[in-house]
Structures are given as structure tokens and as C-alpha cells.
Amino acid sequence: MNASEQANSIEVLSKIATIVNLFTSEFPDASVEFSPWVKNAETAKFEDPNSIDLAFYFQRRNFSCQSCCILMQIRLPEATEANSRPVGIELSGHDYMGQRWRFDTNRKWEFWGTILPLPNAEQKLKQVCMIILQLFDLVKKGNSAE
């Protein structure tokens, strides 16, 4: 679900702002989109009310990330659960040809796809994800960016 729709409390709004500041401190040429999903029948079937979705756009194709846009989906537990800790984070890198790579903190912290980010960008993206998980207080033993 679009981050703009999930910002329903000061706590969530503060966490979203922290995420944006964190990402743009690592990738200063990125700008954020708080509503990456267009509301229509086609995208409605993909809507997940248990996620916070952001998109980060680069003015030009970011060579180290091998993309023009990175979609970030922070997966939250079911709404019926008492806390708001994330289940995991999914990233996907896109350019004018479509999706180029994916990353999921629930899949051994590995990147996969047709064109992967350069190693230094991979490390930065992993570090961003680790800090986000810490922000939501969900760092499990054995779950690491290394």
C-alpha cells in the first residue's frame, strides 16, 4: 500500500521520514515517491494493506544501482497482530526495459535478476534494509546483511 496511505500516525510518519532520509543519505541523487501505485483496477489486485510502499527515482539511470527506479516494499504483519514490526523488505530495481533485479530480506539477503547492482550499491542497499529492520525492531539472530 502506498506509504502516503499508511502514514496514519505520528509514529508511522516518523518511521517513513527516517527511511527516506536514510535512503537519500546513501543515494543523494534519489527522490522519493510516497504513492508509487496508481489507483486503478489493474493495480488494485496487487494492493497489500500490510505493506508500506515507496519508490525512489533517479534523474538518470543510476549506474551503481543499475536502475532508474527502486521500489521498496516493507512487509508488515497482518493488521490483526498487535505490533507493527515488518515481516521483511523487498526491493526491486527498474529501468526503461522493466524490472532488472530483486532483493528480499527473507531470501538469504541475495540479489537476483538480469542486471544486478554493483557490489558497493548492493552493500549500501543491504545496510539500508538492516537499519530499517532495526527501526521497526525486527532483527533476528542469524538475519544479517553480511
Short mmCIF file of all heavy atoms in Angstrom, two decimals, residues 45-67:
data_model
loop_
_atom_site.label_atom_id
_atom_site.label_comp_id
_atom_site.label_asym_id
_atom_site.label_seq_id
_atom_site.Cartn_x
_atom_site.Cartn_y
_atom_site.Cartn_z
N LYS A 45 -5.43 -5.30 -7.72
CA LYS A 45 -5.25 -6.72 -7.39
C LYS A 45 -3.92 -6.99 -6.69
O LYS A 45 -3.75 -8.02 -6.06
CB LYS A 45 -5.40 -7.59 -8.63
CG LYS A 45 -4.40 -7.31 -9.73
CD LYS A 45 -4.69 -8.14 -10.96
CE LYS A 45 -3.81 -7.70 -12.12
NZ LYS A 45 -4.22 -8.30 -13.37
N PHE A 46 -2.98 -6.04 -6.79
CA PHE A 46 -1.68 -6.20 -6.14
C PHE A 46 -1.60 -5.46 -4.80
O PHE A 46 -0.60 -5.57 -4.10
CB PHE A 46 -0.56 -5.69 -7.05
CG PHE A 46 -0.47 -6.43 -8.35
CD1 PHE A 46 -0.81 -5.81 -9.54
CD2 PHE A 46 -0.05 -7.75 -8.38
CE1 PHE A 46 -0.73 -6.49 -10.74
CE2 PHE A 46 0.03 -8.43 -9.58
CZ PHE A 46 -0.31 -7.80 -10.76
N GLU A 47 -2.64 -4.72 -4.45
CA GLU A 47 -2.59 -3.91 -3.23
C GLU A 47 -2.47 -4.80 -2.00
O GLU A 47 -3.22 -5.75 -1.83
CB GLU A 47 -3.83 -3.03 -3.14
CG GLU A 47 -3.75 -2.07 -1.98
CD GLU A 47 -4.84 -1.03 -2.02
OE1 GLU A 47 -4.85 -0.22 -2.97
OE2 GLU A 47 -5.69 -1.05 -1.12
N ASP A 48 -1.53 -4.47 -1.17
CA ASP A 48 -1.30 -5.19 0.08
C ASP A 48 -1.47 -4.21 1.23
O ASP A 48 -0.62 -3.34 1.43
CB ASP A 48 0.11 -5.79 0.09
CG ASP A 48 0.41 -6.57 1.36
OD1 ASP A 48 -0.45 -6.63 2.26
OD2 ASP A 48 1.52 -7.11 1.44
N PRO A 49 -2.56 -4.33 1.98
CA PRO A 49 -2.78 -3.40 3.09
C PRO A 49 -1.76 -3.56 4.21
O PRO A 49 -1.70 -2.73 5.11
CB PRO A 49 -4.20 -3.74 3.56
CG PRO A 49 -4.41 -5.15 3.15
CD PRO A 49 -3.61 -5.33 1.88
N ASN A 50 -0.95 -4.60 4.14
CA ASN A 50 0.05 -4.86 5.17
C ASN A 50 1.46 -4.54 4.68
O ASN A 50 2.40 -5.27 4.97
CB ASN A 50 -0.04 -6.31 5.63
CG ASN A 50 -1.40 -6.62 6.22
OD1 ASN A 50 -1.90 -5.86 7.04
ND2 ASN A 50 -2.01 -7.68 5.77
N SER A 51 1.59 -3.47 3.91
CA SER A 51 2.92 -3.05 3.47
C SER A 51 3.00 -1.53 3.40
O SER A 51 1.97 -0.85 3.30
CB SER A 51 3.27 -3.66 2.10
OG SER A 51 2.53 -3.05 1.09
N ILE A 52 4.21 -1.04 3.47
CA ILE A 52 4.49 0.38 3.24
C ILE A 52 5.34 0.42 1.98
O ILE A 52 6.45 -0.12 1.97
CB ILE A 52 5.24 1.01 4.43
CG1 ILE A 52 4.41 0.94 5.70
CG2 ILE A 52 5.65 2.44 4.11
CD1 ILE A 52 5.13 1.41 6.95
N ASP A 53 4.82 1.02 0.92
CA ASP A 53 5.50 1.03 -0.37
C ASP A 53 5.97 2.43 -0.73
O ASP A 53 5.21 3.40 -0.67
CB ASP A 53 4.55 0.52 -1.47
CG ASP A 53 4.06 -0.90 -1.20
OD1 ASP A 53 4.62 -1.57 -0.32
OD2 ASP A 53 3.12 -1.32 -1.88
N LEU A 54 7.24 2.51 -1.12
CA LEU A 54 7.88 3.74 -1.55
C LEU A 54 8.62 3.47 -2.86
O LEU A 54 9.06 2.35 -3.09
CB LEU A 54 8.91 4.22 -0.52
CG LEU A 54 8.44 4.54 0.88
CD1 LEU A 54 9.60 4.48 1.86
CD2 LEU A 54 7.81 5.91 0.89
N ALA A 55 8.78 4.49 -3.66
CA ALA A 55 9.62 4.39 -4.85
C ALA A 55 10.67 5.48 -4.77
O ALA A 55 10.38 6.61 -4.36
CB ALA A 55 8.81 4.52 -6.13
N PHE A 56 11.90 5.14 -5.15
CA PHE A 56 12.98 6.10 -5.21
C PHE A 56 13.42 6.22 -6.66
O PHE A 56 13.78 5.22 -7.29
CB PHE A 56 14.14 5.65 -4.31
CG PHE A 56 13.77 5.64 -2.85
CD1 PHE A 56 13.30 4.48 -2.26
CD2 PHE A 56 13.87 6.79 -2.09
CE1 PHE A 56 12.95 4.46 -0.92
CE2 PHE A 56 13.52 6.78 -0.75
CZ PHE A 56 13.06 5.63 -0.16
N TYR A 57 13.35 7.44 -7.19
CA TYR A 57 13.68 7.69 -8.59
C TYR A 57 15.00 8.41 -8.71
O TYR A 57 15.33 9.27 -7.89
CB TYR A 57 12.59 8.55 -9.24
CG TYR A 57 11.28 7.82 -9.41
CD1 TYR A 57 10.28 7.94 -8.45
CD2 TYR A 57 11.05 7.01 -10.51
CE1 TYR A 57 9.07 7.26 -8.59
CE2 TYR A 57 9.84 6.33 -10.65
CZ TYR A 57 8.87 6.47 -9.69
OH TYR A 57 7.69 5.78 -9.82
N PHE A 58 15.73 8.06 -9.74
CA PHE A 58 16.98 8.74 -10.08
C PHE A 58 16.73 9.56 -11.34
O PHE A 58 16.04 9.11 -12.25
CB PHE A 58 18.10 7.73 -10.32
CG PHE A 58 18.38 6.87 -9.12
CD1 PHE A 58 17.90 5.57 -9.06
CD2 PHE A 58 19.11 7.36 -8.06
CE1 PHE A 58 18.14 4.77 -7.95
CE2 PHE A 58 19.36 6.57 -6.94
CZ PHE A 58 18.87 5.28 -6.89
N GLN A 59 17.27 10.77 -11.37
CA GLN A 59 17.06 11.63 -12.53
C GLN A 59 17.54 10.98 -13.82
O GLN A 59 16.92 11.08 -14.85
CB GLN A 59 17.75 12.97 -12.33
CG GLN A 59 17.32 14.00 -13.32
CD GLN A 59 17.36 15.38 -12.72
OE1 GLN A 59 18.00 15.62 -11.72
NE2 GLN A 59 16.66 16.30 -13.34
N ARG A 60 18.65 10.29 -13.71
CA ARG A 60 19.17 9.49 -14.82
C ARG A 60 19.36 8.08 -14.28
O ARG A 60 19.32 7.86 -13.08
CB ARG A 60 20.53 10.01 -15.29
CG ARG A 60 20.48 11.38 -15.89
CD ARG A 60 21.89 11.76 -16.39
NE ARG A 60 22.04 13.16 -16.62
CZ ARG A 60 22.32 14.07 -15.69
NH1 ARG A 60 22.51 13.71 -14.45
NH2 ARG A 60 22.44 15.33 -15.99
N ARG A 61 19.63 7.15 -15.14
CA ARG A 61 19.88 5.78 -14.70
C ARG A 61 21.08 5.77 -13.75
O ARG A 61 22.15 6.27 -14.08
CB ARG A 61 20.17 4.90 -15.91
CG ARG A 61 20.25 3.43 -15.58
CD ARG A 61 20.33 2.64 -16.89
NE ARG A 61 20.06 1.25 -16.69
CZ ARG A 61 20.95 0.36 -16.31
NH1 ARG A 61 22.20 0.72 -16.09
NH2 ARG A 61 20.61 -0.90 -16.16
N ASN A 62 20.89 5.23 -12.57
CA ASN A 62 21.95 5.14 -11.59
C ASN A 62 22.81 3.94 -11.95
O ASN A 62 22.35 2.79 -11.88
CB ASN A 62 21.36 5.02 -10.18
CG ASN A 62 22.42 4.97 -9.11
OD1 ASN A 62 23.17 4.02 -9.02
ND2 ASN A 62 22.48 6.01 -8.31
N PHE A 63 24.05 4.19 -12.33
CA PHE A 63 24.92 3.12 -12.79
C PHE A 63 25.18 2.09 -11.71
O PHE A 63 25.12 0.89 -11.95
CB PHE A 63 26.24 3.70 -13.32
CG PHE A 63 27.22 2.66 -13.76
CD1 PHE A 63 27.01 1.95 -14.94
CD2 PHE A 63 28.33 2.35 -13.00
CE1 PHE A 63 27.90 0.97 -15.34
CE2 PHE A 63 29.22 1.37 -13.39
CZ PHE A 63 29.01 0.68 -14.57
N SER A 64 25.46 2.54 -10.48
CA SER A 64 25.80 1.57 -9.44
C SER A 64 24.60 0.71 -9.04
O SER A 64 24.75 -0.47 -8.73
CB SER A 64 26.39 2.27 -8.21
OG SER A 64 25.44 3.09 -7.58
N CYS A 65 23.40 1.28 -9.08
CA CYS A 65 22.18 0.50 -8.75
C CYS A 65 21.61 -0.20 -9.98
O CYS A 65 20.70 -1.02 -9.85
CB CYS A 65 21.10 1.41 -8.16
SG CYS A 65 21.51 2.01 -6.52
N GLN A 66 22.12 0.14 -11.17
CA GLN A 66 21.65 -0.46 -12.42
C GLN A 66 20.14 -0.27 -12.59
O GLN A 66 19.43 -1.18 -13.03
CB GLN A 66 22.01 -1.95 -12.49
CG GLN A 66 23.48 -2.23 -12.43
CD GLN A 66 24.24 -1.77 -13.66
OE1 GLN A 66 23.67 -1.37 -14.67
NE2 GLN A 66 25.55 -1.81 -13.59
N SER A 67 19.66 0.94 -12.26
CA SER A 67 18.22 1.19 -12.37
C SER A 67 17.93 2.69 -12.42
O SER A 67 18.78 3.51 -12.09
CB SER A 67 17.46 0.55 -11.21
OG SER A 67 17.95 1.02 -9.98
#
